[in-house]
Amino acid sequence: MRTRVSSALRPLLCAVALATAGGAACAADAMNLMLNWTPTADHAPIYFAKAKGWYTEAGIDLGIEAGKGSALSAQRVGSGGANLGIADLPTAIQAVGKGADLKAIMVIYANSPQGFYWLKSSGIGGPKDFAGRKIGNPPGDAARLMWPAFAKKTGIDPAAVNFVNLSPQAKVGALKSKSVDIISDFYNEHDLKVKEFGDDLGFVAWRNIGVNVYGNSLVVNGAYLKANPERVKKFVAVTQRAYAACVKDFAPCLEALTATVSGLSPDNQRDQWERIKQLMRDDTTTKVALGAFDGARVKSDYDLVKEMIGIEKAYEPATLFTNDYLDKATRMAP
Protein backbone atom coordinates (compact mmCIF):
# COMPACT_ATOMS: atom_id res chain seq x y z
CA MET A 1 0.00 0.00 0.00
CA ARG A 2 1.42 3.40 -1.00
CA THR A 3 1.43 6.20 1.54
CA ARG A 4 0.58 9.64 0.19
CA VAL A 5 3.09 12.27 1.33
CA SER A 6 1.61 15.74 1.75
CA SER A 7 3.04 18.52 -0.39
CA ALA A 8 3.90 20.40 2.82
CA LEU A 9 6.09 17.56 4.13
CA ARG A 10 7.69 16.54 0.83
CA PRO A 11 10.40 19.27 0.71
CA LEU A 12 11.55 18.34 4.27
CA LEU A 13 11.61 14.64 3.52
CA CYS A 14 13.45 15.26 0.25
CA ALA A 15 16.05 17.36 2.06
CA VAL A 16 16.60 14.54 4.60
CA ALA A 17 16.86 12.00 1.77
CA LEU A 18 19.39 14.13 -0.08
CA ALA A 19 21.46 14.61 3.05
CA THR A 20 21.41 11.00 4.23
CA ALA A 21 21.36 9.04 0.99
CA GLY A 22 23.83 10.94 -1.12
CA GLY A 23 21.18 12.36 -3.41
CA ALA A 24 18.81 9.42 -3.40
CA ALA A 25 15.75 9.83 -5.52
CA CYS A 26 12.80 11.49 -3.85
CA ALA A 27 9.29 11.68 -5.21
CA ALA A 28 8.77 15.07 -6.84
CA ASP A 29 6.20 16.62 -9.12
CA ALA A 30 7.27 16.96 -12.76
CA MET A 31 7.45 20.51 -14.10
CA ASN A 32 8.78 21.55 -17.48
CA LEU A 33 10.38 24.89 -18.34
CA MET A 34 10.97 26.05 -21.91
CA LEU A 35 13.82 28.53 -22.32
CA ASN A 36 13.76 31.40 -24.79
CA TRP A 37 16.94 30.21 -26.55
CA THR A 38 19.75 27.73 -26.06
CA PRO A 39 21.18 27.91 -22.52
CA THR A 40 23.73 30.61 -21.72
CA ALA A 41 24.77 32.70 -18.71
CA ASP A 42 21.32 34.19 -18.11
CA HIS A 43 20.00 30.67 -17.53
CA ALA A 44 22.92 29.60 -15.32
CA PRO A 45 21.06 30.19 -12.02
CA ILE A 46 18.39 27.68 -13.05
CA TYR A 47 21.02 25.03 -13.84
CA PHE A 48 22.80 25.88 -10.59
CA ALA A 49 19.64 25.41 -8.53
CA LYS A 50 18.92 22.14 -10.33
CA ALA A 51 22.47 20.86 -9.75
CA LYS A 52 22.29 21.81 -6.05
CA GLY A 53 19.05 19.87 -5.69
CA TRP A 54 17.07 22.95 -4.63
CA TYR A 55 14.14 22.21 -6.94
CA THR A 56 14.04 18.59 -5.78
CA GLU A 57 14.05 19.75 -2.16
CA ALA A 58 11.01 21.87 -3.02
CA GLY A 59 9.24 18.81 -4.45
CA ILE A 60 9.84 19.76 -8.09
CA ASP A 61 11.31 17.50 -10.77
CA LEU A 62 12.30 20.23 -13.23
CA GLY A 63 12.80 19.48 -16.90
CA ILE A 64 14.50 22.19 -18.98
CA GLU A 65 13.97 22.50 -22.74
CA ALA A 66 16.00 24.77 -25.02
CA GLY A 67 13.91 27.27 -26.97
CA LYS A 68 13.85 28.91 -30.37
CA GLY A 69 12.68 32.40 -29.55
CA SER A 70 10.31 34.18 -27.23
CA ALA A 71 7.43 33.85 -29.67
CA LEU A 72 7.62 30.06 -29.57
CA SER A 73 8.05 29.80 -25.80
CA ALA A 74 5.13 32.17 -25.18
CA GLN A 75 3.00 30.16 -27.61
CA ARG A 76 3.94 26.84 -26.00
CA VAL A 77 3.25 28.06 -22.47
CA GLY A 78 0.07 29.84 -23.54
CA SER A 79 -1.31 26.68 -25.11
CA GLY A 80 -0.34 24.44 -22.20
CA GLY A 81 2.44 22.68 -24.13
CA ALA A 82 4.87 23.79 -21.41
CA ASN A 83 4.13 24.56 -17.77
CA LEU A 84 6.53 27.48 -17.63
CA GLY A 85 8.76 29.37 -20.02
CA ILE A 86 10.99 32.35 -20.53
CA ALA A 87 9.79 35.00 -22.95
CA ASP A 88 10.39 38.65 -23.70
CA LEU A 89 7.52 40.53 -22.02
CA PRO A 90 6.32 42.46 -25.11
CA THR A 91 6.13 39.13 -26.93
CA ALA A 92 4.06 37.74 -24.07
CA ILE A 93 1.84 40.83 -24.24
CA GLN A 94 1.12 40.12 -27.90
CA ALA A 95 0.60 36.40 -27.23
CA VAL A 96 -2.06 37.08 -24.58
CA GLY A 97 -3.82 39.38 -27.04
CA LYS A 98 -4.01 36.40 -29.40
CA GLY A 99 -5.58 34.22 -26.72
CA ALA A 100 -2.56 32.69 -24.98
CA ASP A 101 -3.32 31.63 -21.41
CA LEU A 102 -0.24 32.78 -19.52
CA LYS A 103 0.87 35.06 -16.71
CA ALA A 104 4.29 36.62 -16.01
CA ILE A 105 5.51 35.73 -12.53
CA MET A 106 9.12 36.97 -12.40
CA VAL A 107 11.15 39.36 -14.51
CA ILE A 108 14.76 38.46 -15.29
CA TYR A 109 15.69 41.50 -17.39
CA ALA A 110 14.29 44.61 -15.74
CA ASN A 111 15.89 46.53 -18.61
CA SER A 112 15.67 45.73 -22.30
CA PRO A 113 18.66 43.65 -23.48
CA GLN A 114 17.93 44.38 -27.13
CA GLY A 115 20.50 46.10 -29.31
CA PHE A 116 21.52 46.51 -32.95
CA TYR A 117 25.09 46.11 -34.19
CA TRP A 118 26.70 47.19 -37.48
CA LEU A 119 30.07 48.08 -38.96
CA LYS A 120 30.86 51.77 -39.16
CA SER A 121 32.86 51.05 -42.31
CA SER A 122 29.59 50.09 -44.03
CA GLY A 123 28.51 53.73 -43.94
CA ILE A 124 25.98 53.30 -41.14
CA GLY A 125 26.25 55.99 -38.52
CA GLY A 126 23.10 55.14 -36.57
CA PRO A 127 19.47 54.00 -36.86
CA LYS A 128 18.63 56.76 -39.37
CA ASP A 129 20.86 54.91 -41.86
CA PHE A 130 19.09 51.53 -41.47
CA ALA A 131 16.69 52.17 -44.37
CA GLY A 132 17.41 49.89 -47.32
CA ARG A 133 19.67 47.66 -45.24
CA LYS A 134 19.53 43.97 -44.29
CA ILE A 135 19.00 43.03 -40.66
CA GLY A 136 19.96 39.49 -39.70
CA ASN A 137 18.21 37.67 -36.86
CA PRO A 138 16.08 34.55 -36.20
CA PRO A 139 12.43 34.67 -37.33
CA GLY A 140 11.11 34.09 -33.79
CA ASP A 141 13.37 36.74 -32.28
CA ALA A 142 11.74 39.36 -30.04
CA ALA A 143 13.69 42.13 -31.82
CA ARG A 144 11.91 41.29 -35.07
CA LEU A 145 8.50 41.29 -33.42
CA MET A 146 9.24 44.60 -31.69
CA TRP A 147 10.91 46.19 -34.74
CA PRO A 148 7.92 48.43 -35.56
CA ALA A 149 8.21 50.04 -32.12
CA PHE A 150 11.93 50.67 -32.57
CA ALA A 151 11.43 51.98 -36.11
CA LYS A 152 8.70 54.42 -35.12
CA LYS A 153 10.66 55.66 -32.11
CA THR A 154 13.64 56.45 -34.33
CA GLY A 155 11.66 57.85 -37.28
CA ILE A 156 12.18 54.96 -39.70
CA ASP A 157 9.55 53.43 -41.94
CA PRO A 158 9.12 49.91 -40.48
CA ALA A 159 8.96 48.52 -44.02
CA ALA A 160 12.24 50.15 -45.06
CA VAL A 161 14.49 47.25 -44.01
CA ASN A 162 14.79 43.64 -45.10
CA PHE A 163 15.04 40.90 -42.50
CA VAL A 164 17.29 37.91 -43.17
CA ASN A 165 16.80 34.69 -41.22
CA LEU A 166 19.88 33.76 -39.20
CA SER A 167 20.53 31.41 -36.30
CA PRO A 168 21.95 33.09 -33.19
CA GLN A 169 25.29 31.40 -33.81
CA ALA A 170 25.52 32.79 -37.37
CA LYS A 171 25.03 36.47 -36.56
CA VAL A 172 28.65 37.55 -36.06
CA GLY A 173 29.84 35.61 -39.10
CA ALA A 174 27.13 37.14 -41.26
CA LEU A 175 28.06 40.66 -40.16
CA LYS A 176 31.75 39.95 -40.73
CA SER A 177 31.12 38.58 -44.23
CA LYS A 178 28.78 41.49 -44.94
CA SER A 179 25.96 39.20 -46.02
CA VAL A 180 23.87 41.38 -43.71
CA ASP A 181 24.40 45.00 -42.71
CA ILE A 182 23.00 44.88 -39.18
CA ILE A 183 22.35 42.22 -36.58
CA SER A 184 20.20 42.26 -33.47
CA ASP A 185 21.48 40.75 -30.27
CA PHE A 186 21.22 40.86 -26.51
CA TYR A 187 23.58 43.12 -24.60
CA ASN A 188 24.92 39.94 -22.94
CA GLU A 189 27.04 39.24 -26.01
CA HIS A 190 28.42 42.78 -26.31
CA ASP A 191 31.99 41.91 -25.29
CA LEU A 192 32.36 39.26 -28.00
CA LYS A 193 31.52 41.78 -30.69
CA VAL A 194 33.88 44.39 -29.26
CA LYS A 195 36.68 41.81 -29.39
CA GLU A 196 35.77 40.79 -32.93
CA PHE A 197 35.26 44.20 -34.55
CA GLY A 198 37.02 46.72 -32.30
CA ASP A 199 36.58 50.38 -33.18
CA ASP A 200 34.63 49.51 -36.34
CA LEU A 201 31.67 48.30 -34.26
CA GLY A 202 28.54 50.43 -34.22
CA PHE A 203 25.93 49.82 -31.53
CA VAL A 204 22.63 51.18 -30.25
CA ALA A 205 20.82 49.90 -27.17
CA TRP A 206 17.03 49.96 -27.38
CA ARG A 207 16.80 51.10 -23.76
CA ASN A 208 18.74 54.25 -24.68
CA ILE A 209 16.37 55.37 -27.45
CA GLY A 210 13.13 55.14 -25.48
CA VAL A 211 12.22 51.46 -25.91
CA ASN A 212 13.24 50.21 -22.47
CA VAL A 213 10.58 47.54 -22.21
CA TYR A 214 10.82 44.63 -19.81
CA GLY A 215 12.91 41.83 -21.28
CA ASN A 216 13.05 38.12 -20.51
CA SER A 217 10.50 37.06 -17.92
CA LEU A 218 9.31 33.81 -16.43
CA VAL A 219 5.79 33.02 -17.59
CA VAL A 220 3.45 30.26 -16.48
CA ASN A 221 0.44 28.67 -18.10
CA GLY A 222 -2.69 30.15 -16.54
CA ALA A 223 -4.52 26.87 -16.02
CA TYR A 224 -1.40 25.27 -14.56
CA LEU A 225 -0.98 28.18 -12.15
CA LYS A 226 -4.59 27.95 -11.03
CA ALA A 227 -4.24 24.22 -10.36
CA ASN A 228 -0.78 24.38 -8.76
CA PRO A 229 -0.26 27.74 -7.00
CA GLU A 230 1.92 26.36 -4.20
CA ARG A 231 4.15 24.46 -6.60
CA VAL A 232 4.65 27.58 -8.69
CA LYS A 233 5.40 29.62 -5.58
CA LYS A 234 8.09 27.12 -4.56
CA PHE A 235 9.57 27.20 -8.05
CA VAL A 236 9.76 31.00 -8.01
CA ALA A 237 11.29 31.09 -4.53
CA VAL A 238 14.01 28.65 -5.54
CA THR A 239 14.68 30.52 -8.79
CA GLN A 240 14.91 33.86 -7.00
CA ARG A 241 17.31 32.35 -4.48
CA ALA A 242 19.44 30.97 -7.30
CA TYR A 243 19.67 34.28 -9.16
CA ALA A 244 20.59 36.07 -5.92
CA ALA A 245 23.28 33.47 -5.20
CA CYS A 246 24.74 33.83 -8.69
CA VAL A 247 24.85 37.62 -8.34
CA LYS A 248 27.00 37.14 -5.23
CA ASP A 249 29.26 34.46 -6.73
CA PHE A 250 28.94 33.36 -10.34
CA ALA A 251 31.70 30.71 -10.27
CA PRO A 252 29.57 27.75 -9.05
CA CYS A 253 26.74 28.82 -11.35
CA LEU A 254 29.08 28.87 -14.34
CA GLU A 255 30.35 25.44 -13.34
CA ALA A 256 26.81 24.05 -13.21
CA LEU A 257 25.99 25.55 -16.61
CA THR A 258 29.09 24.32 -18.44
CA ALA A 259 28.81 20.87 -16.83
CA THR A 260 25.41 20.48 -18.48
CA VAL A 261 25.70 22.53 -21.68
CA SER A 262 28.59 21.79 -24.03
CA GLY A 263 30.40 24.23 -26.31
CA LEU A 264 30.28 27.30 -24.05
CA SER A 265 33.32 29.48 -23.45
CA PRO A 266 33.67 30.14 -19.70
CA ASP A 267 35.31 33.51 -20.35
CA ASN A 268 32.45 34.58 -22.61
CA GLN A 269 29.86 33.44 -20.09
CA ARG A 270 31.56 35.38 -17.31
CA ASP A 271 31.53 38.51 -19.49
CA GLN A 272 27.87 37.91 -20.27
CA TRP A 273 26.95 37.63 -16.61
CA GLU A 274 28.49 41.01 -15.81
CA ARG A 275 26.22 42.58 -18.45
CA ILE A 276 23.22 40.56 -17.27
CA LYS A 277 23.54 41.92 -13.73
CA GLN A 278 23.17 45.43 -15.14
CA LEU A 279 20.01 44.37 -16.97
CA MET A 280 18.52 42.76 -13.85
CA ARG A 281 18.84 45.86 -11.68
CA ASP A 282 16.24 48.63 -11.29
CA ASP A 283 14.44 50.34 -8.40
CA THR A 284 11.77 47.64 -8.21
CA THR A 285 14.10 44.62 -8.20
CA THR A 286 16.33 46.22 -5.56
CA LYS A 287 13.60 47.64 -3.30
CA VAL A 288 10.58 45.33 -3.71
CA ALA A 289 11.94 41.90 -4.69
CA LEU A 290 14.35 40.36 -7.13
CA GLY A 291 12.17 39.62 -10.15
CA ALA A 292 9.37 42.03 -9.24
CA PHE A 293 7.42 43.94 -11.87
CA ASP A 294 6.36 47.57 -11.58
CA GLY A 295 2.71 47.85 -12.59
CA ALA A 296 3.15 51.27 -14.20
CA ARG A 297 5.98 49.98 -16.38
CA VAL A 298 3.97 46.93 -17.45
CA LYS A 299 1.12 49.23 -18.47
CA SER A 300 3.57 51.45 -20.36
CA ASP A 301 4.94 48.39 -22.21
CA TYR A 302 1.39 47.28 -22.99
CA ASP A 303 0.47 50.71 -24.32
CA LEU A 304 3.63 50.82 -26.46
CA VAL A 305 2.88 47.42 -28.00
CA LYS A 306 -0.76 48.36 -28.55
CA GLU A 307 0.09 51.70 -30.20
CA MET A 308 3.03 50.69 -32.35
CA ILE A 309 2.43 47.02 -33.13
CA GLY A 310 -1.14 46.24 -32.21
CA ILE A 311 -2.90 43.82 -29.88
CA GLU A 312 -5.55 41.61 -31.46
CA LYS A 313 -7.82 41.59 -28.40
CA ALA A 314 -7.29 44.31 -25.80
CA TYR A 315 -7.18 43.37 -22.12
CA GLU A 316 -6.29 44.92 -18.78
CA PRO A 317 -2.46 44.90 -18.51
CA ALA A 318 -2.62 44.34 -14.73
CA THR A 319 -3.89 40.80 -15.48
CA LEU A 320 -0.69 40.00 -17.38
CA PHE A 321 1.56 39.70 -14.34
CA THR A 322 1.68 39.06 -10.61
CA ASN A 323 4.28 39.57 -7.90
CA ASP A 324 2.33 37.39 -5.49
CA TYR A 325 4.60 34.36 -5.90
CA LEU A 326 7.85 36.22 -5.18
CA ASP A 327 9.69 36.06 -1.88
CA LYS A 328 9.87 39.74 -0.89
CA ALA A 329 12.89 39.03 1.32
CA THR A 330 15.00 38.19 -1.74
CA ARG A 331 16.16 41.35 -3.47
CA MET A 332 18.57 42.24 -6.24
CA ALA A 333 21.83 43.64 -4.90
CA PRO A 334 21.91 47.45 -5.41
Side-chain angles (χ1 to χ4, degrees), residues 253-264:
C253 304
L254 175 61
E255 182 178 351
L257 177 68
T258 54
T260 306
V261 183
S262 61
L264 298 177

Side-chain angles (χ1 to χ4, degrees), residues 284-307:
T284 307
T285 62
T286 57
K287 296 177 181 178
V288 177
L290 189 156
F293 293 94
D294 175 77
R297 279 195 61 193
V298 173
K299 184 179 185 307
S300 177
D301 290 357
Y302 176 92
D303 290 342
L304 179 70
V305 172
K306 183 178 180 181
E307 175 190 354

Side-chain angles (χ1 to χ4, degrees), residues 41-107:
D42 51 349
H43 308 114
I46 298 169
Y47 285 89
F48 170 68
K50 186 175 171 73
K52 294 287 285 186
W54 291 355
Y55 290 114
T56 303
E57 291 170 15
I60 296 169
D61 178 15
L62 184 67
I64 305 172
E65 179 184 355
K68 294 183 179 179
S70 288
L72 179 59
S73 58
Q75 179 184 5
R76 283 279 299 279
V77 173
S79 66
N83 304 138
L84 298 106
I86 296 177
D88 179 83
L89 193 68
T91 304
I93 288 172
Q94 290 176 274
V96 172
K98 294 178 181 178
D101 180 19
L102 62 80
K103 188 179 287 286
I105 51 175
M106 176 179 165
V107 66

Side-chain angles (χ1 to χ4, degrees), residues 43-209:
H43 308 114
I46 298 169
Y47 285 89
F48 170 68
K50 186 175 171 73
K52 294 287 285 186
W54 291 355
Y55 290 114
T56 303
E57 291 170 15
I60 296 169
D61 178 15
L62 184 67
I64 305 172
E65 179 184 355
K68 294 183 179 179
S70 288
L72 179 59
S73 58
Q75 179 184 5
R76 283 279 299 279
V77 173
S79 66
N83 304 138
L84 298 106
I86 296 177
D88 179 83
L89 193 68
T91 304
I93 288 172
Q94 290 176 274
V96 172
K98 294 178 181 178
D101 180 19
L102 62 80
K103 188 179 287 286
I105 51 175
M106 176 179 165
V107 66
I108 299 172
Y109 292 155
N111 300 288
S112 173
Q114 295 289 355
F116 282 126
Y117 293 87
W118 63 87
L119 301 182
K120 296 175 184 176
S121 57
S122 68
I124 299 174
K128 296 289 186 183
D129 299 321
F130 283 9
R133 302 284 188 161
K134 295 178 182 177
I135 300 179
N137 67 2
D141 189 70
R144 190 178 298 199
L145 293 175
M146 284 296 291
W147 163 253
F150 178 94
K152 291 176 183 178
K153 277 285 186 180
T154 52
I156 308 168
D157 179 354
V161 302
N162 296 309
F163 282 97
V164 176
N165 293 341
L166 290 176
S167 69
Q169 298 80 6
K171 289 179 180 179
V172 170
L175 186 61
K176 190 173 183 178
S177 69
K178 300 183 180 179
S179 59
V180 298
D181 305 295
I182 306 151
I183 58 172
S184 69
D185 214 344
F186 277 12
Y187 187 57
N188 310 11
E189 295 274 6
H190 188 80
D191 297 282
L192 274 181
K193 295 172 189 62
V194 171
K195 291 174 184 177
E196 181 69 36
F197 299 109
D199 292 339
D200 194 27
L201 184 69
F203 167 68
V204 62
W206 288 40
R207 61 190 178 278
N208 292 336
I209 56 92

Side-chain angles (χ1 to χ4, degrees), residues 199-328:
D199 292 339
D200 194 27
L201 184 69
F203 167 68
V204 62
W206 288 40
R207 61 190 178 278
N208 292 336
I209 56 92
V211 191
N212 190 27
V213 294
Y214 278 121
N216 286 355
S217 303
L218 280 164
V219 296
V220 62
N221 176 263
Y224 182 83
L225 175 61
K226 186 175 181 180
N228 304 280
E230 287 304 312
R231 192 182 307 167
V232 172
K233 187 171 184 176
K234 290 172 185 175
F235 169 83
V236 174
V238 169
T239 306
Q240 275 185 287
R241 175 187 172 195
Y243 273 88
C246 295
V247 167
K248 291 181 179 178
D249 182 7
F250 186 59
C253 304
L254 175 61
E255 182 178 351
L257 177 68
T258 54
T260 306
V261 183
S262 61
L264 298 177
S265 162
D267 288 342
N268 176 34
Q269 298 306 307
R270 274 189 289 268
D271 287 342
Q272 282 199 36
W273 185 249
E274 290 304 308
R275 305 284 182 178
I276 290 164
K277 287 191 293 184
Q278 297 175 40
L279 297 171
M280 290 172 62
R281 188 177 293 113
D282 76 346
D283 282 349
T284 307
T285 62
T286 57
K287 296 177 181 178
V288 177
L290 189 156
F293 293 94
D294 175 77
R297 279 195 61 193
V298 173
K299 184 179 185 307
S300 177
D301 290 357
Y302 176 92
D303 290 342
L304 179 70
V305 172
K306 183 178 180 181
E307 175 190 354
M308 297 191 172
I309 302 173
I311 295 175
E312 286 190 15
K313 186 176 181 180
Y315 57 94
E316 173 54 51
T319 63
L320 175 71
F321 77 99
T322 179
N323 290 329
D324 291 348
Y325 298 90
L326 296 167
D327 178 0
K328 304 304 190 297

